[in-house]
Amino acid sequence: MKKYSLSPIIIDLLKEYAYYKEDKGVLPLSSSHVREFKIGKKFAYSTSSAINSVHSQVSKLIFNQYISKIPVNQSATAYLSGKSYYDFIEPHRNNYFFLRLDLKNFFHSISKDIIERNFLEYFSNDPISDKCEQTHAQAIYNLIMYKLDSKSDNSTFKGCEILPMGFPLSPSISNLVFRKIDLLIEKFCDEKGIVYTRYADDMLFSSRGKIVPPPIFAFFGKDTKKRKSYDPPFLHSKAFYEEISYLLQLGGYKINKNKVKKSVHTISINGYTITGSNYSDIKGDIRISNIKTKTITKLIHELKVNKDDILVFKKCFKKEFPTPKYKKGANDFISDFCTNQINNKLVGYKSYIISIVKFDGDKDCLSTASRSKYTKLLEQLDNSITKRLK
């Protein structure tokens, strides 16, 4: 296997990095230059402004020169050029039974041992220079990893070295180190006739199964028992769940038991809906969820009947309504905020719908009704944007 060494360009750039010493190489990051914050319930991290520019430039070069050339498993769909969330959900539309699993603390569960075995193996163990004994692999390790100190609020991983969620290379590295687990899960699923894809910490499985016709008495109203119209698939069994759990534990990963989702025929995930099929001659489809399209439709309607952006924003996005810190100029702040947010949302919704329409052009994954609906929504969004930008 080819071992990569840091290029002269990267070494020269590192000389401008506060955590680089010519005789010691790249030093581990300290908490004084790393900011800890939360995105929802998850902890994330970013480098401070004092080192962010050089750290980001070095990370970009490492990605372009090395990481982008290392293969990932075909089931991985996140953080990859030419792939999107649609590639995560589309392969499942011609199946009928669905299972969604979420990996608990995905990024921060990627341990030092996993990084060394599954990522640093691609990098040279030769010294980075004649003046420094640090290896190329060790230098990269200190650029991508961070040890949480005793002051960290992330109690689960306090004192541990983690691959920080929020660092520029973490997403790509997560795909590389998860490759072996992806392969094991993919092999097991192939043997069972199950489709598997993964988008970061989100895992989706699907399969076909046996549909059970209703008893003949049901047609005459004589059978009052509630019966399932299908035989329970292996995908929804305890045995399947335990096997996936076992394979994940080989890499130190755990399933978030609170986010397990089993579905039949239809499943909604992160603003999208898959309507499956159990028959080879009937295709399934994907679409934007009804909740999402109702929000878009409501915004378009409110903009037609109301000229006050504050009122429109309250009616459509009540939970996002701002609370100014100061009374002075509060009304102007709220007004500008609502106007800007509405403009941004209109443009965002337009791009959102265009993206699924373009994907449909390649995959033929939308129903006729959805195509018609999205064409109409795009026309309405265009009209709203044009009126507001006059």
Side-chain angles (χ1 to χ4, degrees):
M1 182 175 69
K2 183 178 179 179
K3 299 273 188 176
Y4 293 112
S5 298
L6 295 176
S7 67
I9 295 175
I10 293 176
I11 297 295
D12 284 342
L13 187 56
L14 282 172
K15 293 174 183 177
E16 302 175 24
Y17 184 52
Y19 284 82
Y20 178 81
K21 303 295 180 185
E22 199 166 1
D23 59 335
K24 295 181 180 180
V26 179
L27 304 176
L29 284 163
S30 70
S31 59
S32 61
H33 285 97
V34 177
R35 184 173 73 94
E36 181 178 273
F37 57 99
K38 295 190 82 171
I39 301 175
K41 295 182 180 180
K42 297 179 180 180
F43 283 95
Y45 301 84
S46 65
T47 52
S48 69
S49 57
I51 65 168
N52 185 62
S53 178
V54 178
H55 188 269
S56 296
Q57 289 178 62
V58 171
S59 297
K60 186 175 182 180
L61 286 171
I62 290 172
F63 175 80
N64 290 335
Q65 293 182 12
Y66 317 118
I67 293 178
S68 63
K69 298 174 183 178
I70 302 173
V72 300
N73 182 261
Q74 63 180 0
S75 59
T77 59
Y79 321 121
L80 296 169
S81 177
K83 286 197 173 185
S84 69
Y85 198 78
Y86 302 125
D87 294 289
F88 170 59
I89 59 175
E90 192 276 335
H92 301 272
R93 67 187 173 95
N94 290 317
N95 285 330
Y96 198 74
F97 301 97
F98 306 98
L99 174 67
R100 179 194 184 184
L101 301 177
D102 178 82
L103 295 170
K104 191 174 182 179
N105 297 317
F106 177 50
F107 284 101
H108 303 160
S109 294
I110 298 173
S111 66
K112 176 182 179 180
D113 182 55
I114 292 172
I115 291 292
E116 289 177 342
R117 285 190 288 110
N118 298 339
F119 177 63
L120 294 186
E121 63 177 352
Y122 293 101
F123 296 90
S124 171
N125 286 317
D126 294 332
I128 58 175
S129 73
D130 296 335
K131 300 178 181 179
C132 179
E133 293 184 357
Q134 186 181 61
T135 68
H136 294 269
Q138 290 169 339
I140 287 180
Y141 181 88
N142 285 344
L143 280 164
I144 64 173
M145 299 292 281
Y146 172 58
K147 185 174 182 178
L148 301 183
D149 64 17
S150 59
K151 295 179 181 178
S152 171
D153 291 328
N154 190 348
S155 58
T156 304
F157 296 95
K158 189 178 291 186
C160 299
E161 288 186 275
I162 62 169
L163 182 70
M165 178 179 169
F167 273 30
L169 290 177
S170 294
S172 301
I173 292 171
S174 71
N175 274 338
L176 297 178
V177 299
F178 206 80
R179 181 172 181 264
K180 292 179 180 179
I181 302 296
D182 276 333
L183 285 167
L184 291 172
I185 293 174
E186 188 177 57
K187 183 176 183 295
F188 171 66
C189 288
D190 282 346
E191 292 171 354
K192 302 296 182 180
I194 293 169
V195 176
Y196 162 61
T197 57
R198 181 179 60 83
Y199 194 91
D201 57 358
D202 218 350
M203 308 172 76
L204 188 58
F205 305 85
S206 66
S207 71
R208 289 184 178 175
K210 184 178 179 182
I211 304 298
V212 180
I216 190 168
F217 298 108
F219 293 105
F220 301 100
K222 295 182 179 180
D223 187 7
T224 58
K225 290 184 180 180
K226 288 187 177 181
R227 304 173 187 270
K228 288 186 176 180
S229 60
Y230 57 88
D231 283 345
F234 176 68
L235 177 65
H236 288 175
S237 69
K238 182 180 179 182
F240 179 80
Y241 180 89
E242 289 179 344
E243 181 65 22
I244 297 300
S245 296
Y246 169 74
L247 295 175
L248 290 171
Q249 286 171 8
L250 294 176
Y253 306 101
K254 293 181 180 179
I255 294 171
N256 187 338
K257 294 180 180 179
N258 295 324
K259 291 188 176 181
V260 175
K261 185 174 185 178
K262 298 178 182 179
S263 293
V264 178
H265 184 244
T266 301
I267 185 170
S268 292
I269 305 174
N270 293 336
Y272 297 96
T273 298
I274 305 171
T275 302
S277 171
N278 202 52
Y279 306 101
S280 57
D281 58 338
I282 300 175
K283 71 166 190 169
D285 59 72
I286 63 174
R287 58 182 169 83
I288 299 170
S289 69
N290 290 335
I291 293 175
K292 195 78 171 180
T293 53
K294 282 179 181 178
T295 300
I296 298 171
T297 303
K298 184 176 181 180
L299 176 58
I300 292 169
H301 170 73
E302 292 298 335
L303 287 173
K304 286 181 179 179
V305 299
N306 290 301
K307 294 183 179 180
D308 185 349
D309 282 354
I310 296 176
L311 182 60
V312 171
F313 197 84
K314 274 185 177 179
K315 286 189 174 184
C316 297
F317 312 104
K318 187 177 180 180
K319 292 182 180 180
E320 299 176 38
F321 198 78
T323 303
K325 291 182 179 180
Y326 309 103
K327 290 183 179 180
K328 186 177 179 181
N331 290 336
D332 289 339
F333 168 79
I334 292 173
S335 179
D336 290 343
F337 176 88
C338 292
T339 297
N340 290 331
Q341 285 295 304
I342 289 171
N343 290 342
N344 291 339
K345 286 179 182 295
L346 286 170
V347 174
Y349 289 149
K350 179 182 175 181
S351 299
Y352 184 63
I353 295 173
I354 287 174
S355 67
I356 196 170
V357 170
K358 284 185 176 179
F359 189 78
D360 175 59
D362 293 330
K363 299 290 186 177
D364 187 27
C365 57
L366 295 177
S367 66
T368 302
S370 290
R371 288 193 192 102
S372 176
K373 183 177 184 178
Y374 300 156
T375 299
K376 184 178 179 180
L377 279 176
L378 283 173
E379 290 176 358
Q380 293 173 332
L381 286 167
D382 269 334
N383 290 335
S384 296
I385 292 169
T386 302
K387 288 178 181 179
R388 292 177 67 83
L389 296 180
K390 276 184 178 180

